[in-house]
């Protein structure tokens, strides 16, 4: 009995251990997913090569310890002459992978667990997908290949066309030589063509405004307090330049049509007229004065805006992602030092600083609607540009030069989604200064919340001192 | 330039001291140097255009595999997919080639060399030897840049503006290794070429004008070339300095442009104390005048072509000179409008914004003067004239969007988006290319002694105009939707991916434009070798170059250099039978060329000069 009892006891413990083990494993893949999306997706996907290679089955290709070393500092491995590392570096055209020294071994393991899970899982999904949509798969295949019959036909037709046109050229030239004058009267033809170009061009311009104008951020309306003033300035400029554009283009092409040589015309000797010249110097000058004054007012209002109760947020840019640091309850950002980047934490924030204790670092930026925000920008490596198109906000992120920009979001994400009728819509912060190979994927989702939702979200975030850090490095 | 030519040359002109090498290769004759600049420019332009085709394919069909890419690009196009790093390399080299090698050297180098001595009435440049060096530095610079396409890591990929730290740290992007070093070497050679040329142009224009060629009688082309040369002389050395500092940062461990960087690709050392913004200031101190170095010669050519083919004096000659000078001066105090959002003091932004928008005034004056020149004219719609009209149209379209971008406030949301791409490709790229084309069609008879095929020229014009607008006009809307430039694909953003149809349309239009240039290339080379022989003065133009013999001649005029008695624009002067009076025809009773011409020439004199 005693044995039985101890057996059940140990079984009980075992089952707890196993279930715990399972749950940690599941939890680790979950954590891995979050980490993967935050750190890896700029350059990697599971099944496709993006900037870096596809990660499917990477756990089978490489040792776990090798992967951990690689993720932390791939360049060191290449330098140390590790054969696989050197080959991988060469294969990927010597693109340097970002070092993630602040990720702990456990975190990297969880990412690997996630990749492993993803590599194995989709097999079932893919099977069902092919059954359900073999048709779509086929069309997808053909659309990915440019060598279709139609394209070959196009090539043949264009070659034939070129041959025919050049033949016609030759014949026309011969006829022209025999007749002693060119066959096509280009002055007449051009007269017709300029008018056709003018009319079709103007119609196309208006069509463009009508069709593609809807896709611009101006059609969407601004989502920030200063955005309305910005849009106003834009519309004034659009109106004035639009009028000038239409008038001058009409005059240009109409003159080309009207005054073309017809064999009888005699040009008017009209070398200058001071009155006319005076008018068309003064009128643009006055119009531009209006635009300059209005522009300066807008510029100064935006750049020198000072809001008393603004929240302080730091945007930290690096190849190829953004981190946002919120100031926490004290609304003061803790000190940072670039030499500490990647050591104690990824941002080089001094965790002993009192102000830093409640700072929160996030990968998805939440803002509270109607609450002004002062953004402070900092770069780890090269110049980036933090661009929030929907908020009419942008500022370069320059290593060694603190830059700032302030705005007040006025429309919540939910409201904007309703307004646009697009449930997937998200505000974004994107990189707008060439910064390397994955520049085009360097983005952060920005969510504008109501006050309650914002506070709830903020409360759920860990402060920087509570976030897991690589203690082995920190202790050094 | 084949062996065949060389033999002919030896048989025909064996008594000259000229050899094949001294005539065709190390030539010191400005007309030959101008042809060398043009042909090198055309080759580089073709290369730049082909690059744009490749990256346009990528933008239009981001998911498609083009197996031929692997054939052309090797490991950069593995499995028919363009590598993102090489995409950036392509846009960088496309920009560098187009801005510097085609539109600076190819445009200004060609026409300054051809027209300055011929239009001011000089036997050659002030220093033919320096002129030769100018071409050969340019050639070397082109060769180095083309070579950089083949090095490990690929050519420079930090954008044509090569902002450090991306360009300064070799590991920041593969192209910032050897490729970037070669880019800098190429640029330094290019600057040497540009300075040697510029000094020469200025000296020739100021000192070697023929008797009677007052500054106020110069054709507007020469005024444009003069101001262009001055701009180049004052701004290129700044880029030279900036580039050398970048060389130091890259190769000798200095930190002029590097600050607070401890990245693995910084070489493991702390790089502190510098400022990345310093480079931008130095770069744009050249970069903005550079825009006018490109544009002014094109506008000068247009002035000449429009006046000649409208059979009318250019309207407001002095206002035109004034606006060229005003643009030249203002171009030096507006460079900061490229940097509104770098973290520069907003007050400085205000100052640069003011200067930038003031430039719109002389630009508007030029546009209205062109329109007034066309008004009541007798337009000869030759290919050259059509390209000149096209330039004015593009200059208006692209110039007006400059009013948005020059406004610091509006720049906040438009900076570095496709709106900028559309703006400068219209006003600086296409417009200047149109000016260059206009010049080629107009002065081809002077350069090669033969005529180009007109029909092919007209077709070339229409296809190019349509394609230019179809490519660049829709891009404004992408910019207004916030699509950033220099993105390998828009697939990461749903809001930008909706432009995939537009991108396909643009790519097809660009391919059409490329096809149109094939027509031009065939026409150009065929006509240069086998075209119809050119008459003495095919466009009935007033300027001096048309009084020189069709057959090129060292020293330009067989006898005495003609004297100049009037300005270049006496077209359709009332009371005169012909609708043009060349500059070398004196007025009735005018003996001293320096006297102002008020009346009309004696009929007999006209006859004489026509036969001259």
């Amino acid at each position: 009995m005693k044995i039985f009892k101890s057996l059940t006891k140990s079984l009980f413990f075992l089952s707890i251990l196993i279930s715990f083990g399972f749950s940690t494993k599941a939890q680790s893949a979950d954590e891995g997913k979050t980490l993967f999306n935050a750190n890896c997706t700029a350059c990697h996907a599971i099944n496709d090569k993006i900037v870096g290679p596809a990660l499917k089955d990477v756990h089978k290709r490489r040792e776990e310890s090798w992967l951990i070393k690689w993720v932390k500092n791939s360049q060191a491995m290449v330098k140390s002459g590790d054969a696989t590392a050197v080959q991988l570096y060469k294969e990927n055209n010597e693109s340097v992978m970002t070092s993630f020294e602040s990720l702990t071994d456990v975190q990297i393991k969880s990412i690997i667990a996630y990749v492993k899970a993803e590599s194995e899982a989709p097999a079932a999904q893919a099977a069902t997908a092919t059954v359900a949509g073999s048709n779509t798969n086929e069309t997808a295949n053909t659309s990915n290949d440019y060598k279709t019959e139609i394209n070959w036909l196009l090539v043949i037709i264009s070659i034939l066309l070129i041959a025919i046109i050049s033949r016609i050229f030759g014949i026309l030239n011969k006829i022209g030589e025999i007749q002693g004058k060119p066959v096509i009267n280009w002055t007449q033809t051009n007269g017709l063509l300029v008018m056709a170009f003018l009319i079709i061009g103007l119609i196309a311009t208006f069509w463009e405004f009508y069709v593609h104008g809807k896709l611009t951020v101006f059609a969407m309306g601004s989502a920030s307090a200063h955005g309305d003033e910005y849009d106003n300035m834009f519309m004034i400029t659009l109106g004035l330049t639009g009028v000038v554009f239409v008038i001058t283009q009409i005059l240009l092409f109409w003159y080309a049509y009207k005054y073309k040589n017809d064999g009888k015309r005699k040009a008017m000797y009209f070398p200058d007229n001071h009155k006319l010249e005076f008018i068309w110097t003064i009128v643009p000058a006055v119009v531009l004065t209006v635009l300059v004054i209005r522009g300066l007012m807008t510029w100064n209002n935006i750049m020198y805006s000072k809001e008393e109760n603004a929240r302080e947020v730091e945007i930290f840019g690096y190849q190829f992602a953004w981190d946002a640091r919120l100031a926490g309850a004290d609304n003061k950002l803790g000190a940072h030092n670039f030499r500490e980047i990647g050591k104690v934490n990824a941002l080089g924030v001094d965790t002993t600083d009192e102000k830093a204790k409640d700072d929160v670092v996030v990968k998805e930026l939440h803002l509270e609607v109607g609450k002004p925000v002062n953004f402070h920008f900092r770069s780890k490596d090269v110049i980036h540009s933090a661009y929030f198109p929907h908020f009419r906000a942008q500022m370069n992120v320059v290593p060694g030069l603190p830059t700032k920009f302030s705005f007040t979001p006025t429309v919540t994400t939910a409201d904007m989604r309703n307004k646009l009728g697009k449930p997937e819509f998200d505000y974004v912060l994107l990189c707008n200064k060439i910064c390397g190979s994955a520049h085009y994927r360097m983005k952060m989702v920005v969510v504008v919340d109501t006050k309650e939702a914002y506070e709830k979200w903020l409360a759920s975030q860990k402060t920087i001192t509570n976030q897991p850090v690589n203690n082995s490095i920190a202790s050094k | 330039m084949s062996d065949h030519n060389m033999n002919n040359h030896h048989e025909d002109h064996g008594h000259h001291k000229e050899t094949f090498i001294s005539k065709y290769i190390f030539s010191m004759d400005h007309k030959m140097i101008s042809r060398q600049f043009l042909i090198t420019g055309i080759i580089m332009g073709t290369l730049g255009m082909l690059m744009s085709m490749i990256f346009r394919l990528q933008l239009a069909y981001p998911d498609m595999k083009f197996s031929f890419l692997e054939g052309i690009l090797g490991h950069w196009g593995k499995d028919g997919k363009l590598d993102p790093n090489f995409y950036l390399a392509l846009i960088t080299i496309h920009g560098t080639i187009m801005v510097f090698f085609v539109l600076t050297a190819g445009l200004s180098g060609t026409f300054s060399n051809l027209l300055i001595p011929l239009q001011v009435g000089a036997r050659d440049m002030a220093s033919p030897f320096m002129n030769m060096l100018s071409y050969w530095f340019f050639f070397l610079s082109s060769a180095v840049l083309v070579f950089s396409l083949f090095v490990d890591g690929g050519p420079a990929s930090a954008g044509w503006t090569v902002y450090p730290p991306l360009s300064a740290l070799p590991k920041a992007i593969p192209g910032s290794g050897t490729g970037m070093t070669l880019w800098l070497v190429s640029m330094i050679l290019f600057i040497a070429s540009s300075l040697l040329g510029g000094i020469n142009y200025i000296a020739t224009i100021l000192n070697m004008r023929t008797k009677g060629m007052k500054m106020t009688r110069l054709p507007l082309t020469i005024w444009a070339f003069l101001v262009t040369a001055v701009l180049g002389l004052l701004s290129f050395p700044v880029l030279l300095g900036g580039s050398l500092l970048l060389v130091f940062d890259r190769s000798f461990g200095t930190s002029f442009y590097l600050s607070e960087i401890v990245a693995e690709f910084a070489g493991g050392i702390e790089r502190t104390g510098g400022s990345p913004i310093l480079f931008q200031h130095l770069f744009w101190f050249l970069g903005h005048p550079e825009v006018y170095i490109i544009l002014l010669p094109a506008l000068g050519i247009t002035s000449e072509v429009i006046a000649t083919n409208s059979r009318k004096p250019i309207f407001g000659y002095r206002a035109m000179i004034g606006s060229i000078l005003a643009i030249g001066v203002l171009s030096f105090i507006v460079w900061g409008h490229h940097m509104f959002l770098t973290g520069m003091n907003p007050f400085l932004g205000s100052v640069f914004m003011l200067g930038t928008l003031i430039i719109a005034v002389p630009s508007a004056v030029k546009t209205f003067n062109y329109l007034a020149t066309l008004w009541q004219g007798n337009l000869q719609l030759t290919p050259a004239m059509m390209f000149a009209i096209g330039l004015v149209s593009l200059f208006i379209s692209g110039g007006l969007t400059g009013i948005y971008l020059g406004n610091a406030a509006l720049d906040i949301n438009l900076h570095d988006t496709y709106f900028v791409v559309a703006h400068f490709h219209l006003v600086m790229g296409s417009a200047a290319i149109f000016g260059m084309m206009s010049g080629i069609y107009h002065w081809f008879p002077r350069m090669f002694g033969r005529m180009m095929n007109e029909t092919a020229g007209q077709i070339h014009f229409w296809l190019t105009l349509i394609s230019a607008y179809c490519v660049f006009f829709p891009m404004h809307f992408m910019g207004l939707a916030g699509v950033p430039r220099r993105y390998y694909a828009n697939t990461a953003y749903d809001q930008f991916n909706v432009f995939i149809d537009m991108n396909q349309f643009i790519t097809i239009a660009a391919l059409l434009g490329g096809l149109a240039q094939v027509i031009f290339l065939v026409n150009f080379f065929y006509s240069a070798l086998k075209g119809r022989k050119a008459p003495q003065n095919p466009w009935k133009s007033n300027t001096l170059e048309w009084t020189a013999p069709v057959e090129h001649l060292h020293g330009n005029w067989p006898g005495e250099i003609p004297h100049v008695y009037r300005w270049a624009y006496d077209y359709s002067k009332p009371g005169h039978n012909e609708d043009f009076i060349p500059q070398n025809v004196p007025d009735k009773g005018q003996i001293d060329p320096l006297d102002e011409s008020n009346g009309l020439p004696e009929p007999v004199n006209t006859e004489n000069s026509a036969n001259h």
Side-chain angles (χ1 to χ4, degrees):
Chain A
M1 288 299 276
K2 217 176 179 183
I3 299 167
F4 186 73
K5 211 175 179 180
S6 63
L7 201 68
T8 42
K9 213 173 182 179
S10 57
L11 260 175
F12 179 71
F13 269 113
L14 201 69
S15 65
I16 285 176
L17 257 177
I18 289 170
S19 65
F20 188 71
F22 268 121
S23 72
T24 45
K25 207 165 183 189
Q27 198 194 344
S28 121
D30 260 5
E31 195 198 345
K33 185 179 180 182
T34 322
L35 285 167
F36 184 83
N37 286 336
N39 294 301
C40 313
T41 45
C43 303
H44 293 282
I46 305 290
N47 292 311
D48 297 307
K49 178 184 173 0
I50 312 259
V51 175
L55 293 180
K56 190 168 193 242
D57 294 334
V58 73
H59 58 285
K60 291 182 191 159
R61 291 199 296 270
R62 317 253 186 268
E63 301 265 323
E64 193 173 65
S65 58
W66 188 93
L67 282 172
I68 291 169
K69 255 171 92 183
W70 173 265
V71 170
K72 283 191 173 170
N73 192 343
S74 63
Q75 273 304 298
M77 282 181 93
V78 173
K79 270 195 201 120
S80 73
D82 181 295
T84 331
V86 171
Q87 197 204 347
L88 199 61
Y89 180 52
K90 283 261 155 62
E91 264 175 21
N92 287 285
N93 296 321
E94 308 197 354
S95 286
V96 178
M97 178 170 159
T98 312
S99 296
F100 294 92
E101 310 218 43
S102 54
L103 288 179
T104 60
D105 290 10
V106 180
Q107 285 174 322
I108 295 172
K109 276 179 192 160
S110 69
I111 293 173
I112 297 169
Y114 169 70
V115 171
K116 190 177 167 191
E118 282 293 299
S119 309
E120 286 157 3
Q125 279 176 20
T128 53
T130 38
V131 172
S134 57
N135 222 354
T136 49
N137 233 0
E138 223 173 76
T139 48
N141 272 342
T142 46
S143 76
N144 277 354
D145 187 8
Y146 63 97
K147 284 179 183 167
T148 58
E149 289 83 356
I150 294 169
N151 283 354
W152 282 118
L153 203 68
L154 278 177
V155 169
I156 294 166
I157 289 173
S158 30
I159 290 171
L160 278 176
L161 261 181
I162 291 169
I164 292 167
I165 289 172
S166 57
R167 206 60 224 133
I168 292 172
F169 259 87
I171 294 166
L172 284 181
N173 244 348
K174 284 259 161 61
I175 298 172
E177 270 169 35
I178 293 162
Q179 289 185 338
K181 63 173 175 116
V183 178
I184 306 174
N185 182 342
W186 272 106
T187 308
Q188 289 303 323
T189 319
N190 277 336
L192 294 175
L193 286 173
V194 287
M195 282 317 277
F197 185 80
L198 174 66
I199 292 163
I200 296 172
L202 285 178
I203 293 171
T205 304
F206 286 110
W207 182 83
E208 273 285 288
F209 271 96
Y210 179 69
V211 175
H212 290 128
K214 286 177 194 155
L215 301 176
T216 66
V217 287
F218 296 97
M220 220 178 261
S222 80
S224 66
H226 73 268
D228 294 333
E229 192 183 356
Y230 178 98
D231 286 10
N232 231 333
M233 179 77 237
F234 180 84
M235 289 305 161
I236 292 170
T237 313
L238 181 67
L240 284 172
T241 52
V243 170
V244 177
F245 174 80
V246 172
I247 292 176
T248 45
Q249 297 283 9
I250 288 180
L251 286 182
L252 177 69
F253 286 102
W254 181 54
Y255 285 173
Y257 167 76
K258 182 151 189 244
Y259 300 114
K260 65 183 182 297
N261 172 35
D262 57 5
K264 287 172 288 193
R265 288 198 62 78
K266 182 119 173 74
M268 182 186 179
Y269 187 79
F270 185 49
D272 54 8
N273 178 324
H274 291 301
K275 204 171 156 192
L276 266 180
E277 286 171 66
F278 183 74
I279 291 172
W280 64 51
T281 311
I282 289 302
V283 171
V286 171
V287 172
L288 282 162
T289 310
V290 174
L291 286 176
V292 166
I293 291 172
R294 183 83 204 202
L296 285 176
M297 281 159 60
T298 313
W299 171 247
N300 287 326
N301 286 347
I302 296 172
M303 299 311 282
Y304 290 109
S305 85
K306 278 231 157 47
E307 300 281 355
E308 300 249 312
N309 56 346
R311 283 218 173 84
E312 307 294 324
V313 173
E314 181 184 61
I315 302 286
F316 182 70
Y318 54 93
Q319 285 182 338
F320 297 99
W322 301 100
D323 287 347
R325 179 157 64 111
L326 311 176
D330 63 355
N331 202 25
K332 284 186 179 120
L333 289 162
H336 59 79
N337 185 341
F338 75 99
R339 289 183 182 84
E340 301 300 321
I341 287 174
K343 290 178 186 162
V344 179
N345 50 53
L347 277 71
V349 174
D350 179 3
T351 38
T352 57
D353 184 2
E354 273 305 314
K355 292 180 209 149
K357 291 257 154 79
D358 57 352
D359 288 2
V360 173
V361 178
V362 290
K363 293 276 182 184
E364 183 183 273
L365 176 63
H366 284 238
L367 301 173
E368 185 193 324
V369 67
K371 185 91 178 165
V373 189
N374 291 334
F375 288 97
H376 305 264
F377 301 101
R378 188 152 65 91
S379 168
K380 179 188 165 196
D381 36 38
V382 300
I383 301 177
H384 304 275
S385 187
Y387 181 31
F388 305 83
H390 311 103
F391 302 101
R392 315 289 186 262
Q394 181 170 203
M395 185 48 69
N396 285 3
V397 182
V398 186
L401 180 75
T403 54
K404 52 183 196 282
F405 197 98
S406 306
F407 68 80
T408 313
T410 51
V411 184
T412 62
T413 301
D415 286 350
M416 190 54 104
R417 283 174 178 171
N418 283 338
K419 186 177 164 191
L420 300 175
K422 285 183 195 150
E424 302 87 30
F425 173 83
D426 266 320
Y427 295 121
V428 282
L429 159 62
L430 47 97
C431 181
N432 197 17
K433 186 67 80 188
I434 180 171
C435 65
S437 48
H439 168 52
Y440 72 109
R441 297 174 66 86
M442 178 170 166
K443 73 165 165 182
M444 177 155 77
V445 171
V446 180
V447 180
V448 180
D449 286 329
T450 55
K451 192 171 171 21
E452 300 75 46
Y454 176 80
E455 274 160 8
K456 200 172 146 205
W457 169 82
L458 189 63
S460 72
Q461 300 298 316
K462 288 179 191 151
T463 59
I464 195 161
T465 39
N466 283 335
Q467 273 171 342
V469 287
N470 191 342
N471 291 317
S472 61
I473 296 180
S475 59
K476 274 179 203 168
Chain B
M1 290 182 206
S2 61
D3 284 347
H4 176 71
N5 265 346
M6 187 176 83
N7 293 339
N8 264 353
H9 175 78
H10 275 291
E11 281 158 24
D12 296 349
H13 310 283
H15 54 278
H16 282 291
K17 266 193 258 166
E18 282 185 337
T19 61
F20 173 75
I21 287 182
S22 76
K23 184 163 179 199
Y24 291 109
I25 298 180
F26 294 107
S27 173
M28 293 203 246
D29 186 290
H30 71 99
K31 299 183 289 297
M32 180 56 69
I33 293 173
S34 110
R35 290 197 243 174
Q36 290 173 327
F37 265 110
L38 180 58
I39 289 172
T40 316
I42 286 178
I43 292 170
M44 292 301 277
T46 311
L47 191 64
M49 197 181 66
L50 288 175
M51 288 177 171
S52 71
M53 305 276 146
I54 296 176
F55 64 70
R56 273 312 322 172
L57 275 182
Q58 160 61 29
L59 288 170
Y61 306 102
D63 300 322
M64 212 180 269
K65 292 188 162 74
F66 297 97
S67 49
F68 66 86
L69 282 182
E70 190 159 7
I72 314 172
L73 307 175
H75 65 108
W76 295 113
K78 206 181 280 172
D79 305 326
K81 285 294 302 162
L82 183 65
D83 185 276
N85 287 307
F86 203 69
Y87 172 85
L88 296 177
L90 284 175
I91 58 159
T92 302
I93 303 299
H94 166 79
T96 309
I97 284 182
M98 290 306 190
V99 169
F100 292 109
F101 293 82
V102 180
L103 292 175
T104 303
L107 172 60
S108 174
T110 303
F111 291 103
S112 294
N113 264 305
L114 178 73
L115 296 178
I116 288 173
L118 280 168
Q119 286 196 335
V120 305
R123 297 267 178 220
D124 206 314
M125 282 289 179
S127 166
F129 180 71
M130 267 165 69
N131 210 19
M132 179 188 81
L133 281 184
S134 160
Y135 172 72
W136 283 102
F137 270 110
F138 167 57
F139 181 84
L140 263 181
S141 153
S142 314
V144 171
L145 192 77
V146 172
F147 178 70
S148 81
L149 295 173
F150 303 101
V151 297
D152 247 13
S157 333
W160 78 278
T161 52
V162 297
Y163 283 178
L166 188 60
S167 63
L169 304 171
K171 295 275 165 90
I173 188 168
S176 289
T178 324
M180 187 61 210
T181 307
L182 289 175
W183 191 94
L184 286 165
V185 170
S186 166
M187 205 40 59
I188 286 165
L189 290 170
F190 186 88
I191 293 166
S193 153
S194 172
L195 293 180
L196 285 166
I199 292 167
N200 229 338
Y201 305 154
I202 296 169
T204 312
I205 295 170
L206 293 183
N207 292 327
M208 298 178 67
R209 281 165 289 139
T210 183
K211 190 154 195 225
M213 184 61 92
K214 302 179 196 174
M215 293 304 275
T216 47
R217 283 178 182 169
L218 282 174
L220 285 172
T221 37
I222 303 299
W223 267 106
F225 297 147
L226 176 65
V227 176
T228 302
V230 173
L231 294 186
L233 199 63
L234 295 179
S235 63
F236 266 115
V238 178
L239 180 66
L240 181 67
S243 303
L244 284 175
L245 297 187
L246 187 52
V247 170
F248 292 162
D249 271 11
R250 290 171 47 79
S251 306
F252 307 121
T254 57
S255 281
F256 288 105
Y257 304 134
L258 301 171
S259 182
E260 302 200 4
I261 299 171
V262 197
E264 54 283 359
F265 49 63
I269 48 165
E270 284 173 16
R271 309 293 290 260
T272 55
S275 163
I277 304 304
L278 172 64
F279 179 83
Q280 296 185 20
H281 280 294
L282 296 176
F283 183 89
W284 288 114
F285 191 84
L286 157 89
H288 201 77
E290 171 67 22
V291 170
Y292 295 99
I293 291 174
I294 287 170
L295 200 58
L296 284 178
L299 292 175
I301 288 169
T302 307
S303 308
E304 183 64 27
V305 170
I306 285 188
T308 305
N309 288 299
S310 298
R311 315 308 297 157
K312 266 189 76 181
I314 189 84
F315 185 84
Y317 173 73
R318 281 170 193 255
M320 289 299 244
I321 297 175
S323 44
I324 291 175
L325 289 171
I327 290 174
V329 171
L330 286 171
S331 74
F332 275 103
I333 53 164
V334 300
W335 79 89
H337 67 220
H338 298 268
M339 301 167 58
F340 285 141
L341 301 173
T342 50
M344 196 166 72
N345 187 328
F347 174 71
L348 266 180
S350 306
V351 177
F352 282 121
M353 169 183 167
L354 181 66
T356 305
L357 292 193
I358 290 175
I359 288 197
V361 176
S363 308
V365 169
K366 282 190 90 74
T367 310
F368 290 128
N369 283 359
Y370 286 137
L371 290 176
T373 309
L374 293 173
W375 181 72
Q376 291 287 354
N378 175 19
L379 310 187
Q380 317 291 313
L381 299 178
T382 62
M385 180 65 164
M386 293 312 290
F387 271 106
I389 291 172
L391 177 143
V392 178
S393 172
L394 294 165
F395 184 63
I396 295 169
S397 308
L400 286 172
T401 50
I403 294 174
Y404 298 68
L405 294 167
N407 183 332
L410 292 183
D411 191 56
I412 292 172
N413 222 51
L414 300 175
H415 184 81
D416 265 345
T417 63
Y418 266 87
F419 195 84
V420 178
V421 177
H423 162 70
F424 73 75
H425 273 97
L426 283 176
V427 78
M428 179 177 95
S430 303
I433 285 281
F434 271 55
M436 186 172 171
M437 287 299 173
S438 175
I440 292 174
Y441 281 103
H442 193 75
W443 280 289
F444 192 85
R446 185 74 296 174
M447 284 185 116
F448 295 94
R450 292 173 187 276
M451 305 295 286
M452 286 178 88
N453 183 309
E454 193 193 352
T455 308
Q458 299 282 11
I459 293 175
H460 172 218
F461 164 74
W462 281 108
L463 289 181
T464 311
L465 183 73
I466 291 167
S467 125
Y469 268 116
C470 287
V471 170
F472 300 119
F473 197 81
M475 280 187 192
H476 290 111
F477 293 89
M478 278 205 261
L480 296 180
V483 182
R485 65 196 282 209
R486 292 165 174 163
Y487 265 24
Y488 170 71
N490 296 325
T491 41
Y493 302 90
D494 291 338
Q495 320 155 44
F496 301 158
N497 224 3
V498 294
F499 288 103
I500 192 78
D501 295 338
M502 185 189 275
N503 263 326
Q504 287 169 3
F505 174 79
I506 290 173
T507 297
I508 291 164
L511 291 171
L512 175 83
L515 206 68
Q517 307 321 305
V518 175
I519 299 177
F520 165 75
L521 289 175
V522 171
N523 191 5
F524 181 88
F525 287 106
Y526 181 85
S527 303
L529 298 171
K530 296 195 167 171
R532 188 159 56 85
K533 283 263 187 291
Q536 175 71 40
N537 189 353
W539 320 118
K540 297 189 176 163
S541 180
N542 282 344
T543 38
L544 278 189
E545 76 271 25
W546 303 104
T547 62
V550 178
E551 195 69 29
H552 282 186
L553 185 75
H554 205 70
N556 295 339
W557 286 272
E560 223 181 307
I561 299 177
H563 290 176
V564 166
Y565 294 90
R566 62 184 69 246
W567 72 330
Y569 298 104
D570 266 344
Y571 291 105
S572 301
K573 205 166 186 185
H576 192 65
N577 293 338
E578 294 272 350
D579 66 355
F580 69 116
I581 312 173
Q583 283 189 283
N584 61 332
V585 176
D587 271 357
K588 206 172 186 174
Q590 186 186 14
I591 298 154
D592 186 355
L594 291 169
D595 286 346
E596 276 309 320
S597 61
N598 296 314
L600 292 163
E602 289 183 54
V604 187
N605 279 351
T606 324
E607 288 290 308
N608 280 349
S609 80
N611 295 335
H612 182 63

